């Protein structure tokens, strides 16, 4: 894969991000603050999903297995 194409594609994605969030109209220090807050929120959402989604999926599977009459697993 051509590195120039990858670089152009990443630049295009960043440009789309700026257009969608309207961050291109901000001053540089405002852009920095906005990007920091956005990155922090995204990191917190990813971490929360990583920690809590598997627990909720396991509990949902246990709940539905009890509803549909599956036998509980061994507690030994």
């Amino acid at each position: 894969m051509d590195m120039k194409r990858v670089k152009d594609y990443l630049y295009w994605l960043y440009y789309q991000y700026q257009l969608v969030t309207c961050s291109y109209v901000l001053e540089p220090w405002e852009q920095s603050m906005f990007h920091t807050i956005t990155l922090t929120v995204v990191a917190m959402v990813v971490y929360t999903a990583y920690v809590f989604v598997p627990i909720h999926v396991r509990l949902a599977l246990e709940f539905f297995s009890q509803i549909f009459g599956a036998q509980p697993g061994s507690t030994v």
Side-chain angles (χ1 to χ4, degrees):
M1 194 165 193
D2 188 19
M3 290 304 289
K4 182 167 178 15
R5 286 183 54 200
V6 172
K7 184 179 175 183
D8 289 342
Y9 181 68
L10 290 175
Y11 178 75
W12 179 80
L13 284 177
Y14 179 70
Y15 183 68
Q16 292 296 313
Y17 163 75
Q18 283 188 324
L19 287 175
V20 168
T21 60
C22 298
S23 63
Y24 64 93
V25 297
L26 300 174
E27 293 183 17
W29 71 271
E30 292 172 329
Q31 280 184 355
S32 175
M33 292 298 293
F34 179 78
H35 296 322
T36 301
I37 292 169
T38 303
L39 184 65
T40 302
V41 169
V42 168
M44 289 170 31
V45 167
V46 168
Y47 174 75
T48 302
Y50 175 75
V51 170
F52 292 110
V53 167
I55 295 168
H56 286 31
V57 169
R58 182 181 54 83
L59 291 174
L61 289 174
E62 288 177 10
F63 175 75
F64 287 117
S65 69
Q66 289 177 359
I67 287 178
F68 294 119
Q71 296 296 324
S74 175
T75 58
V76 177

